[in-house]
Amino acid sequence: MDTSKRTTTKNGGDETCTSSEHGISKAASQRMCQHMNDDHAVSVYGMVRSMFPGASTVVTDTEIVGISFETCDFTCKVNGKSQHVSYPFHPPLSSAKEAR
């Protein structure tokens, strides 16, 4: 993953899979998030961890909270602080199937 492209903002509270304004329906986003969080938690952790290089960085509580054609959105804790991290897809996805 290209870590120079990530954006991070402080998590404003409890989050659920967000609706997408960019081609992936809210229901599809929720299904994908639920599946990834339930069945592929190690992969979700690895995706987020790769955005925070450095042996001293502690990443915990990773969860996918939304996906659109443009980004995959996560919540996590980084060194104990709640974060919302968006990883942009370059180029953007052209269909929900490409999220696989």
Side-chain angles (χ1 to χ4, degrees), residues 64-75:
I64 292 180
V65 295
I67 189 166
S68 71
F69 284 174
E70 285 79 24
T71 65
C72 188
D73 300 318
F74 304 88
T75 59

Side-chain angles (χ1 to χ4, degrees), residues 33-49:
C33 291
Q34 189 71 48
H35 168 72
M36 290 300 295
N37 291 324
D38 289 349
D39 298 338
H40 304 286
V42 172
S43 296
V44 171
Y45 170 80
M47 293 166 71
V48 174
R49 181 67 180 103

Side-chain angles (χ1 to χ4, degrees), residues 15-74:
E15 299 214 19
T16 58
C17 289
T18 56
S19 63
S20 172
E21 303 158 3
H22 308 289
I24 297 177
S25 71
K26 180 178 180 178
S29 176
Q30 288 175 329
R31 283 191 305 274
M32 286 186 262
C33 291
Q34 189 71 48
H35 168 72
M36 290 300 295
N37 291 324
D38 289 349
D39 298 338
H40 304 286
V42 172
S43 296
V44 171
Y45 170 80
M47 293 166 71
V48 174
R49 181 67 180 103
S50 71
M51 291 188 272
F52 294 94
S56 64
T57 303
V58 177
V59 177
T60 60
D61 302 334
T62 58
E63 187 174 79
I64 292 180
V65 295
I67 189 166
S68 71
F69 284 174
E70 285 79 24
T71 65
C72 188
D73 300 318
F74 304 88

Side-chain angles (χ1 to χ4, degrees), residues 81-98:
K81 294 181 85 176
S82 294
Q83 300 283 318
H84 180 211
V85 181
S86 294
Y87 183 82
F89 297 125
H90 293 289
L93 304 178
S94 58
S95 73
K97 290 181 181 181
E98 287 185 345

